[in-house]
Amino acid sequence: MYFGADYYPEHWPRAEWESNALLMKEASINVVRIAEFAWAKMEPKEGVFDFSWLDEVIEVLSKQGIKVILGTPTATPPKWLSDKIEDIYMVNEFNQVRGFGSRRHYCYNNSKYKEYTAKIVTALAKHYKNNTNVVAWQIDNEFGCHDTVRCYCNNCLKDFQGWLENKYKSIERLNEEWGTVFWSQTYSSFEEIILPKYTVCDSAVSASGLNGRKRYSHNPGLLLDFYRFSSDSVVKYQKLQIDIIKNCDCNQPINNNLMGHFNQIDYFKLGEDLDFVSWDNYPNNEWGQNSMFSVSMAHDLMRGVKGKKFWMMEQQSGPCGWNSLGDTPKPGQIRLWTYQAIAHGAEGIVFFRWRACPFGTEQYWYGILDHDGIPRRRYKEIKQIGSEVERLSDLFVDSKVLSEAAIIKSYDNLWSHQFQPHNEKFDYNSLLIQYYTALGTNNINSDIVPYNIDFSEYKLLIMPAFNLMKDDILQRVENYVSGGGNLVLTFRSGTKEWNNSMTIKTLPGYFKELAGVTVEEFDSINFGREVQMFTEYGMGKVLMWADILKPISAEIIGTYASDFYEGEAAITVNSYGKGKVYYIGCDLEQEVLNKLLEEIALKSGIKPLIPNNIEGVEVVSKEKNGRKYIIVMNHNGYEVEIHLSGTYKELISNIDIDGKLMLNPYEVAILETNVG
Ligand code: GAL
């Protein structure tokens, strides 16, 4: 298994490379990612390529058995290049140019920039195609980081018009799909089409607007297509680089480092052209802390992108921030985060960064080593992880996460909800995390999957707020349920067509027959109002949305207990074919949802991995060649006692565990089942 660090040799004197490599080796580091921002060093002047320093560092590393993941440097076009292309920079919706001075300062649709991209990538690929020390490629770096997916420049305008023409073929069709008859927005040709820039009705500052939410006034069909086009532009730019590397006969696999829950690129599409994906995980930094389940779900999404293992290309290894710092990882936390990644399917771990850099924007971003390069507590912890991973790697490589449940994520739905959230408090991704958390709290693993796969391996399928709908998706879901699957739908499902217009079908639209209900009325709950709801799992508050349901064939399992719809149905279950469809018509407090999903999972034939739920304890079930094991992780800063049914062997310590497992703060146990 690859275990390593993000290394920037160009930031350090040549004389230190050997000692760096030795120190790495001592910590079981066998791979580094390099060069992804080093364009100015690789091509200091136009057409003058210098890879000699790279060759040298690769050679130094290889002497210690350390391999390299090579980044294409296109996230940081150098100054000489940026000055050459007048319109290289992205433009925001207020027509402001997003210029030089940080990174990612280019537009994906700039054809001149694509030519320069092709030149540097070709030169790199030709130079390193036969280098056996280069074991993988990374394309660019974190596409979309710093809000760099949607650009409003003239090149994007032209490409957007072409993209639309290709999609709709005739302008009449586009007018019909978008409903441009509304407010006289009818277009007579594709050349007339606009980008959704600042209008009379928009708020002047993107972050302001209603309750800090941006206000969108553009035609929802246009907006959604612009979001799709922007995401596709990134996919296309990435493909340009992938094709070059492949056409140069490079055999090394190609990856890109994604950003977990980042929401401006359809990661399922971005992943299609890659050999594997990786992602960058900073659970605790200047900008906030991520909950245990939010991080786990991001891991599961990354696994879901290609339905297979992934890498951590940047795993937090120190306190970090740009202008101020997040918390310092506590003793054991880096190890815990590493096992969390491995548990969810990471098969390569690269820590960001080898050593804190004394200059530049990221002076405060600490890595394995501090600025002075002296190995301290964090280095020792990583060394320990390195030796454990080396010893246990057989168990992890090509292992499978065993999930009996899945949650569908759709970027089209995410975008549509983003600019029209139905209720100011609604957030699509938070709803997904809430359902994921409910399963996780009950010690049930779930996969995060796109809508276009075969769902038959799952006992339970959750499709939160799947609002934009179309026939082929209905067909898939119907096949799944008829065949015996259990489906959970929620409020705001099926109210729209795929083009982002409201459906004129009776709600829940496409889902009506499956759910066996109609939504007679709804209540968007605002201004601190609360509605009471009642199920056999307890009373709960509804704070955001209440669908008032009328069963056709469904049975009622939850009822409203206040307001004008007191006594009406809130949650139902319908038998359909051999399966069942649950319709949860309102938002639920986490505890109520936990209990409800525990019950639904049990009825769907899913048993929890361990019997007791302890806050802050996470369990993941895996299998390798018929060997089954669970990884139990204590994310709490205190000791916990976990009751187990049966006997296990703990594989890090080789100790037998019978009935009771004690876990220290941030401790991890790998328990093999069916032993003895
Ligand atoms: C990531 C990025 C790295 C580094 C790190 C810390 O988003 O890929 O290059 O910038 O964050 O800011």
Side-chain angles (χ1 to χ4, degrees), residues 402-421:
L402 302 175
S403 306
E404 295 180 302
I407 299 176
I408 299 185
K409 174 160 185 167
S410 147
Y411 287 89
D412 298 270
N413 271 285
L414 187 158
W415 296 328
S416 160
H417 284 302
Q418 223 169 30
F419 42 78
Q420 291 180 296

Side-chain angles (χ1 to χ4, degrees), residues 17 21-22 24 60 63 105 202 206 346 350-351 376 412 457 485 531 543 562 597 601 644 663 674:
W17 292 355
L22 272 172
M24 287 176 187
V60 168
K63 291 211 171 98
H105 41 277
D202 289 337
S206 9
V350 181
F351 292 98
R376 296 197 172 86
D412 298 270
E457 69 172 280
V531 171
L543 303 170
S562 72
L597 280 199
L644 303 163
L663 279 185
N674 308 323

Side-chain angles (χ1 to χ4, degrees), residues 178-381:
W178 287 2
T180 53
V181 63
F182 187 79
W183 284 354
S184 276
Q185 288 170 350
T186 312
Y187 297 100
S188 47
S189 72
F190 285 98
E191 288 74 50
E192 276 186 13
I193 299 210
I194 57 158
L195 292 175
K197 287 189 177 186
Y198 184 48
T199 69
V200 170
C201 298
D202 289 337
S203 47
V205 184
S206 9
S208 73
L210 299 168
N211 297 334
R213 211 187 256 282
K214 191 178 161 188
R215 181 176 186 160
Y216 299 89
S217 61
H218 277 284
N219 179 302
L222 165 90
L223 268 174
L224 182 58
D225 271 341
F226 177 64
Y227 280 26
R228 287 169 171 152
F229 156 78
S230 303
S231 171
D232 282 1
S233 300
V234 180
V235 174
K236 200 166 145 196
Y237 178 73
Q238 177 183 259
K239 178 96 177 3
L240 165 82
Q241 298 202 26
I242 293 176
D243 287 348
I244 291 171
I245 295 175
K246 299 229 149 131
N247 289 338
C248 287
D249 295 329
C250 298
N251 291 322
Q252 303 102 331
I254 302 174
N255 95 101
N256 176 251
N257 53 338
L258 279 46
M259 293 181 287
H261 292 295
F262 179 72
N263 59 26
Q264 297 184 8
I265 301 170
D266 185 333
Y267 276 161
F268 295 117
K269 283 193 180 172
L270 191 77
E272 274 171 24
D273 299 321
L274 294 164
D275 296 312
F276 69 100
V277 299
S278 62
W279 81 285
D280 301 342
N281 180 25
Y282 299 95
N284 192 331
N285 60 51
E286 173 186 359
W287 300 287
Q289 284 186 22
N290 298 312
S291 75
M292 153 185 118
F293 283 127
S294 159
V295 175
S296 294
M297 183 175 154
H299 284 308
D300 288 340
L301 171 64
M302 296 296 103
R303 194 179 69 249
V305 167
K306 290 193 76 72
K308 66 176 199 187
K309 63 190 173 191
F310 58 93
W311 278 46
M312 301 312 302
M313 201 51 83
E314 296 177 17
Q315 175 63 52
Q316 182 172 350
S317 64
C320 48
W322 279 14
N323 308 118
S324 59
L325 288 146
D327 296 359
T328 297
K330 315 271 184 303
Q333 247 181 345
I334 298 173
R335 179 170 173 270
L336 170 75
W337 293 335
T338 308
Y339 277 111
Q340 188 184 21
I342 291 173
H344 289 274
E347 291 193 10
I349 306 284
V350 181
F351 292 98
F352 191 89
R353 50 191 294 151
W354 170 242
R355 179 171 169 185
C357 183
F359 41 76
T361 307
E362 296 185 345
Q363 298 179 347
Y364 287 179
W365 210 283
Y366 284 74
I368 302 175
L369 302 178
D370 298 329
H371 297 97
D372 64 5
I374 295 176
R376 296 197 172 86
R377 176 177 70 81
R378 299 193 307 277
Y379 174 84
K380 286 183 195 138
E381 187 166 320

